[in-house]
Amino acid sequence: EELVESGGGLVHVGDSLRLSCVVSGISLEYFPIGWFRQAPGKEREDVSCLTAGDDLITYADSVKGRFTISRDIAENTVYLQMNNLKPEDTAVYYCATDVPGSWGVPCRATDLRSKGRGTQVTVSS
């Protein structure tokens, strides 16, 4: 499978961005999909994840209420709507997928083994 992220950029505090990840080779109707991020010198951080079938969604505490994950199965694309951006949101954002997990168990993006090349998000104060 291939995952291609887009939509990153340089924005100011309080602005919004919508990231997209187009997936090919698998159907998002059946596979979990998530976003994680990595800032320079820091560990990878889970942002959000969406399971397939039972549609369980998780968010990191740091983005709850500001970020929204969504999926368009027809377009095989996952989105991350990011509102009220903060400087600490600055990172490279990656989407990731993997084989389905157990029903009723949330996914974690950093556990998903296939990922894209990422898109840079920079939030300037």
Side-chain angles (χ1 to χ4, degrees):
E1 62 275 7
E2 182 180 23
L3 301 90
V4 180
E5 304 93 338
S6 63
L10 172 62
V11 296
H12 293 98
V13 170
D15 285 349
S16 298
L17 277 176
R18 189 177 80 156
L19 305 184
S20 301
C21 173
V22 179
V23 182
S24 58
I26 60 166
S27 171
L28 292 182
E29 185 173 7
Y30 306 110
F31 288 78
I33 188 77
W35 292 91
F36 67 90
R37 64 190 181 186
Q38 188 163 25
K42 294 188 176 181
E43 297 287 319
R44 296 188 308 170
E45 178 188 16
D46 285 294
V47 174
S48 184
C49 204
L50 170 60
T51 61
D54 50 6
D55 294 342
L56 298 178
I57 296 177
T58 56
Y59 293 101
D61 287 342
S62 58
V63 307
K64 278 180 183 176
R66 300 188 298 122
F67 290 11
T68 303
I69 191 171
S70 62
R71 176 184 60 203
D72 185 328
I73 291 174
E75 296 294 326
N76 225 35
T77 300
V78 63
Y79 302 98
L80 186 68
Q81 177 66 43
M82 306 187 296
N83 297 330
N84 190 22
L85 283 161
K86 304 176 180 181
E88 51 264 41
D89 295 319
T90 295
V92 178
Y93 284 71
Y94 300 86
C95 62
T97 189
D98 206 331
V99 295
S102 300
W103 187 270
V105 178
C107 56
R108 288 180 51 183
T110 50
D111 289 341
L112 305 179
R113 291 172 290 180
S114 297
K115 63 183 186 292
R117 293 188 174 186
T119 185
Q120 175 72 47
V121 172
T122 303
V123 184
S124 170
S125 56

